Amino acid sequence: MRYKGFGSGTFRNIFLSYTAILIIPIIVFSALNVHRNMMEEKQQQHQKHAADAKRIADLVDSKLNELKNMGKMLGNEAWVKKLMQNTNVYDQEFDMLKMLEIRKSLDNGFNSLGILSFGMVVFPEKRQVLTQWGVYPEEDFFKGVAVFDGDTKQKLQHVLSQQQYFKIMPPADMKLWGNGKRVIPVLQSLEVVNHPRAVLVLFIDSAYFSDYMHRFGGIESKAIAISSQGSLLYRQARNDSAGHPERSRSYELVLPSRASDLRYAITYADTGVIGINNLFGSLLAIAISAGLGALAAFLLAKVSYRPLGALLNKLSAAVRFEEGKNGGSISGSEYSYIEKSFDRLLLENKNLQQTMQDYESAARSNLFLRLLKGYFADDQQMNGLKKFGIGYTDDMQYCTMLISFYAIRDVSDMEKIRKIEMITIVIVEQAMKRHRVDYELFEVTNADKALILSSVNPFGDDRLLERIASEISGEIEQACGFRPDVFCGTVEKGVVGISKSYYAANERLQYTIFSREHLPVQQEEAVQAGVDYYYPTDWEVQLVNNLKIGNLDTTMQILHEIAAENKKRELPESSEVKLVSLLMETLLRVLHELNLDTCIYAKQFASRAGAGEMEEMWSCVLEVGTLICERKRYANTSPSLAVGSELLQFVNQNYTSADLSLKMLAEMCGMSVSNVSKIFKEVSGINFYDYVCRLRMETAKELLREKKFGMDVIARRVGYENVYSFKRAFARYEGIKPDEYVDSAM
């Protein structure tokens, strides 16, 4: 199937794709460039207007500061202070010449500001007004010289009686010496008291101020509005050539005064054709680029289609051959053949992803179970926790809870059981979110659910965890009609503390089950009568395994953790002697399995025990543990350890494969079967087949508890070729048949 030129549908699609790929970015880039230029010009215009608005605001503020300075200057004048006094002691100082001097000074000061109609100093207590024209009684002045309407006069007199730092009143109409004016009164108390004895009143002439703003305000703005406390004091608007206000698009910049409570609103034109000069050039560039892009697309299509055409021919030929061999139809375009090939690859990838997810889920579950049984890890193993999203550290606080549905009598209704499990998950999530506690929820064998609660800081008061357990139990009872047993372990620090807390909760669970139904508990985790020391079987197994591989650090950690936990329990001397004796028995058993002489160490321990020296007995245990590890590490050469680690890692990753065997490992390493078996036992502590069987049975138990798969599926998943082999191995390892285990787990 080969097409040449534009006759090939694939070539046409490639050509059109390249054309779109080349031209669309050009168009988008040009549009973005035009938009960017428009935004830049608008930004420049806005910055220019902002600078102009600030200049106008500073201009007005400067004039206001001049008015303030006049008030400050007059407040410091000696003649003002003397005229404030309610006495006639200073009257003789204010003769005609002195008053003429004062009036001339006021007149010069008022005129120098350039925006005032006039000004005056009012003495409210004396009811006198001092202006550049002379001294007047207040009533006569407002009747004959400066005449306001009644409301304005009343407001002005009311404000004069109060202390004013710098108050600007609304504009008002008046008659000054019979001439109509519109002024803006500005008041300043010349004395900082509630009822000042002298007040400076300046009247800004609206006409003078407008002239001032026209001369210095600039021509950029369309309108300038000055307001105070919502009241408009001044407005200036530009008109078009016909004398009408401009109606083009505009926007407003608002600035507060830094000299008073004024507010400046300055309006500027918002031109809508910014960037139009760039539009024609951009359109021309788009047209040229489109032509060049089409030519380049054709050349690229010709170059790239050559290997693609060969690939399409091979794929189509392979698919056609497969379909013809299977008796199917031989039809469809070359792309349909590619689609079928990719569908097959996607299906295989999906199956692979699902397998990986199942593996990670099983590995994560196994890690949590290992944490419950005691996790003595170095830094490298702690990184293994982080790999599966478990961010536990030895600096955190932990507590383990166990949830048991043992109270359910009818376990035959699987739909009901699944519903209860789903409700439990939701209730636990809500409770932990409510109390803001991090947790992990998973299944365990001796209870239905286990919870590991973790916190960087202490959990709070001692009753918090018990309240959480009570809330979970009560809410499940309310939702499902029965009350499960929820047991809370102790709060411990460090990853190993998870195991300690678990065994404390498990003791309570087993005791409750035993006392309620008088049923035998599991031998491994039962609380034996008269046993008050702490030495779990799982910890003993880990101690033995680490001794056999010569792991000194972990061995010492296990022994120290056992000693510390039992020290907290304040054991009687007899119990502590029993504990140390059991530890020594474990060490002697390992020595015997390693073909080492045990007599000398047994006699040494017996001697210290007979003397009743508890510290010496502990010291003997630590010495023998160190001796075993050192001898084992010396016996295991570095090459053997490296090979053993690789073998152990390979088995951990492939134990579900039915082909896994010692012969397979021997061929992989190029060694004999006996050497591989010996190295594997030295590293793991047990022989190869027992180790593989242990891994397979733990995985099988997890799958059996889930009740999602048939027995044949589970057998294949854990590495057995048929159900018969699986059932026989399960019965040999667990002591019961798989069906019986499912019934007991329910």
Side-chain angles (χ1 to χ4, degrees):
M1 180 185 296
R2 179 175 293 276
Y3 300 94
K4 296 184 178 180
F6 281 100
S8 170
T10 304
F11 180 83
R12 289 196 299 271
N13 292 335
I14 294 175
F15 171 70
L16 294 176
S17 299
Y18 276 128
T19 303
I21 290 172
L22 292 174
I23 293 179
I24 290 177
I26 293 172
I27 296 174
V28 173
F29 175 77
S30 300
L32 291 176
N33 187 51
V34 172
H35 181 266
R36 180 179 59 83
N37 292 336
M38 293 175 63
M39 291 298 102
E40 288 180 355
E41 291 187 18
K42 284 190 176 183
Q43 182 66 23
Q44 292 175 0
Q45 184 189 63
H46 184 272
Q47 292 175 355
K48 179 180 179 182
H49 289 166
D52 185 68
K54 185 178 182 304
R55 182 186 62 80
I56 294 173
D58 292 341
L59 185 71
V60 179
D61 284 349
S62 174
K63 190 59 67 175
L64 293 178
N65 287 327
E66 291 181 15
L67 299 180
K68 286 183 181 180
N69 291 334
M70 175 166 284
K72 292 178 182 179
M73 179 188 69
L74 289 177
N76 294 325
E77 291 287 344
W79 61 268
V80 173
K81 295 179 180 179
K82 291 178 180 180
L83 289 176
M84 288 183 192
Q85 306 298 323
N86 292 325
T87 178
N88 55 3
V89 174
Y90 302 105
D91 289 351
Q92 60 182 353
E93 295 184 15
F94 295 97
D95 54 10
M96 182 179 297
L97 292 176
K98 182 64 175 178
M99 293 305 297
L100 286 174
E101 180 183 348
I102 291 172
R103 288 165 54 190
K104 185 176 180 181
S105 175
L106 289 176
D107 187 56
N108 291 336
F110 296 156
N111 291 334
S112 65
L113 295 175
I115 60 173
L116 299 179
S117 291
F118 70 101
M120 62 183 182
V121 180
V122 181
F123 300 95
E125 293 183 355
K126 294 182 178 181
R127 302 190 67 80
Q128 287 184 347
V129 176
L130 174 61
T131 70
Q132 62 264 47
W133 304 301
V135 181
Y136 300 88
E138 183 179 324
E139 188 67 25
D140 293 345
F141 182 81
F142 286 113
K143 284 184 179 181
V145 180
V147 181
F148 294 89
D149 60 79
D151 291 340
T152 304
K153 179 180 177 182
Q154 185 177 1
K155 291 179 182 178
L156 187 60
Q157 290 177 338
H158 174 72
V159 174
L160 286 171
S161 63
Q162 299 175 352
Q163 198 278 333
Q164 303 293 340
Y165 170 67
F166 189 78
K167 181 174 181 60
I168 302 176
M169 294 182 63
D173 294 321
M174 65 170 292
K175 288 188 177 181
L176 182 64
W177 300 108
N179 297 321
K181 287 183 175 294
R182 187 167 181 80
V183 295
I184 303 173
V186 180
L187 291 81
Q188 295 183 72
S189 298
L190 301 182
E191 186 178 33
V192 185
V193 293
N194 289 334
H195 301 287
R197 292 173 295 177
V199 180
L200 174 65
V201 184
L202 304 174
F203 294 93
I204 299 176
D205 192 306
S206 295
Y208 294 166
F209 188 74
S210 295
D211 181 65
Y212 175 77
M213 293 300 296
H214 279 294
R215 284 187 292 118
F216 300 105
I219 60 173
E220 290 287 337
S221 61
K222 290 181 60 178
I224 302 174
I226 303 175
S227 59
S228 175
Q229 299 179 355
S231 177
L232 183 64
L233 301 180
Y234 171 78
R235 179 172 177 79
Q236 170 187 315
R238 290 175 55 190
N239 298 328
D240 56 17
S241 57
H244 302 293
E246 294 185 354
R247 299 185 180 275
S248 59
R249 292 174 56 188
S250 61
Y251 68 98
E252 187 177 70
L253 294 176
V254 179
L255 288 81
S257 172
R258 293 185 293 179
S260 66
D261 62 351
L262 294 184
R263 179 174 172 272
Y264 308 124
I266 306 168
T267 305
Y268 292 94
D270 185 9
T271 57
V273 290
I274 299 177
I276 194 67
N277 295 330
N278 297 324
L279 184 59
F280 178 77
S282 298
L283 291 175
L284 181 59
I286 291 173
I288 296 175
S289 300
L292 295 176
L295 179 60
F298 179 79
L299 296 176
L300 288 173
K302 291 289 288 184
V303 172
S304 60
Y305 180 72
R306 184 174 300 170
L308 181 60
L311 175 62
L312 290 174
N313 287 330
K314 290 181 180 180
L315 286 176
S316 62
V319 174
R320 284 170 177 266
F321 174 77
E322 187 69 24
E323 290 181 349
K325 185 175 67 174
N326 296 332
S329 61
I330 307 176
S331 62
S333 66
E334 46 198 358
Y335 283 115
S336 66
Y337 303 140
I338 297 178
E339 183 180 357
K340 291 179 181 179
S341 300
F342 275 103
D343 286 343
R344 185 174 64 255
L345 292 175
L346 290 175
L347 180 59
E348 294 174 357
N349 182 65
K350 183 179 179 180
N351 294 334
L352 179 61
Q353 292 292 334
Q354 184 62 42
T355 303
M356 290 298 297
Q357 290 177 4
D358 293 342
Y359 166 75
E360 290 181 1
S361 177
R364 201 168 189 269
S365 180
N366 288 335
L367 271 177
F368 283 124
L369 293 175
R370 185 179 173 189
L371 288 171
L372 294 183
K373 295 183 178 181
Y375 192 81
F376 301 94
D378 53 22
D379 293 338
Q380 184 176 1
Q381 290 174 312
M382 293 297 284
N383 292 331
L385 290 177
K386 296 179 181 178
K387 177 182 178 181
F388 291 98
I390 306 173
Y392 291 167
T393 65
D394 284 329
D395 297 328
M396 298 172 64
Q397 301 281 337
Y398 303 95
C399 178
T400 303
M401 288 185 182
L402 295 178
I403 303 175
S404 175
F405 298 145
Y406 192 78
I408 302 177
R409 300 299 180 186
D410 182 14
V411 295
S412 60
D413 189 352
M414 299 306 299
E415 186 66 27
K416 179 180 179 182
I417 298 296
R418 284 193 291 270
K419 180 180 179 182
I420 291 172
E421 290 182 347
M422 293 302 298
I423 292 175
T424 299
I425 293 173
V426 173
I427 289 175
V428 169
E429 181 180 3
Q430 292 175 348
M432 297 306 165
K433 185 180 296 184
R434 187 163 58 246
H435 292 281
R436 298 181 179 179
V437 177
D438 295 328
Y439 75 99
E440 293 290 347
L441 177 67
F442 53 95
E443 294 183 358
V444 290
T445 55
N446 58 320
D448 291 278
K449 299 291 181 183
L451 277 166
I452 298 179
L453 281 62
S454 61
S455 176
V456 177
N457 302 313
F459 285 102
D461 60 277
D462 297 336
R463 307 292 297 176
L464 172 63
L465 299 178
E466 294 183 5
R467 289 200 304 272
I468 294 176
S470 178
E471 288 178 11
I472 293 173
S473 180
E475 291 177 11
I476 293 175
E477 180 182 18
Q478 184 178 1
C480 302
F482 80 97
R483 189 177 187 88
D485 294 316
V486 182
F487 297 97
C488 182
T490 56
V491 176
E492 303 286 348
K493 183 178 181 181
V495 177
V496 178
I498 297 174
S499 178
K500 299 177 183 178
S501 181
Y502 161 70
Y503 281 111
N506 189 54
E507 286 176 5
R508 296 178 59 188
L509 171 61
Q510 299 301 329
Y511 177 79
T512 300
I513 295 175
F514 180 80
S515 61
R516 180 184 298 160
E517 300 291 344
H518 300 285
L519 297 177
V521 296
Q522 297 180 19
Q523 180 180 0
E524 182 175 303
E525 289 144 353
V527 182
Q528 302 175 6
V531 176
D532 52 359
Y533 53 79
Y534 185 82
Y535 187 33
T537 305
D538 292 314
W539 287 35
E540 181 183 12
V541 172
Q542 294 191 64
L543 177 60
V544 171
N545 290 339
N546 282 280
L547 285 168
K548 289 183 176 181
I549 64 175
N551 193 339
L552 179 60
D553 292 338
T554 305
T555 299
M556 291 297 105
Q557 183 185 3
I558 295 173
L559 293 173
H560 286 305
E561 289 290 346
I562 293 174
E565 180 62 23
N566 284 280
K567 184 178 181 181
K568 289 196 302 183
R569 299 192 174 203
E570 299 180 355
L571 300 176
E573 184 176 354
S574 60
S575 297
E576 190 170 2
V577 170
K578 178 64 175 176
L579 169 66
V580 181
S581 299
L582 288 174
L583 288 171
M584 193 63 191
E585 289 178 6
T586 302
L587 299 179
L588 294 175
R589 187 168 67 251
V590 175
L591 280 171
H592 180 73
E593 293 178 5
L594 296 177
N595 297 322
L596 298 175
D597 186 15
T598 61
C599 295
I600 185 172
Y601 305 111
K603 291 180 180 179
Q604 182 180 6
F605 181 79
S607 174
R608 298 185 184 183
E613 299 175 355
M614 188 57 61
E615 293 185 1
E616 293 297 326
M617 293 170 66
W618 275 107
S619 177
C620 183
V621 169
L622 296 176
E623 290 174 3
V624 174
T626 303
L627 174 67
I628 295 172
C629 292
E630 291 295 339
R631 289 199 176 186
K632 191 64 181 176
R633 291 168 63 185
Y634 179 78
N636 291 332
T637 60
S638 297
S640 297
L641 287 176
V643 173
S645 299
E646 293 178 0
L647 289 173
L648 190 62
Q649 183 179 3
F650 182 84
V651 171
N652 288 335
Q653 295 175 352
N654 299 276
Y655 68 90
T656 58
S657 173
D659 299 328
L660 184 65
S661 64
L662 278 174
K663 182 179 179 181
M664 174 185 176
L665 297 179
E667 292 175 354
M668 183 179 69
C669 298
M671 302 171 63
S672 65
V673 173
S674 59
N675 285 339
V676 169
S677 177
K678 180 180 178 181
I679 292 175
F680 187 91
K681 186 173 182 180
E682 288 177 351
V683 174
S684 65
I686 60 177
N687 64 57
F688 169 80
Y689 290 104
D690 287 342
Y691 186 84
V692 172
C693 189
R694 176 183 296 179
L695 293 178
R696 289 177 173 176
M697 290 305 106
E698 290 298 325
T699 303
K701 288 191 290 184
E702 291 291 332
L703 296 174
L704 288 171
R705 287 195 297 272
E706 292 178 1
K707 304 179 182 67
K708 296 180 180 178
F709 309 99
M711 205 68 66
D712 55 339
V713 175
I714 295 177
R716 289 195 302 271
R717 281 203 170 194
V718 298
Y720 291 93
E721 295 179 350
N722 53 68
V723 178
Y724 175 76
S725 299
F726 166 68
K727 288 184 176 180
R728 186 176 59 182
F730 191 95
R732 184 175 67 252
Y733 184 83
E734 295 293 330
I736 60 175
K737 296 180 180 179
D739 298 330
E740 295 174 349
Y741 178 84
V742 172
D743 295 336
S744 65
M746 295 173 63

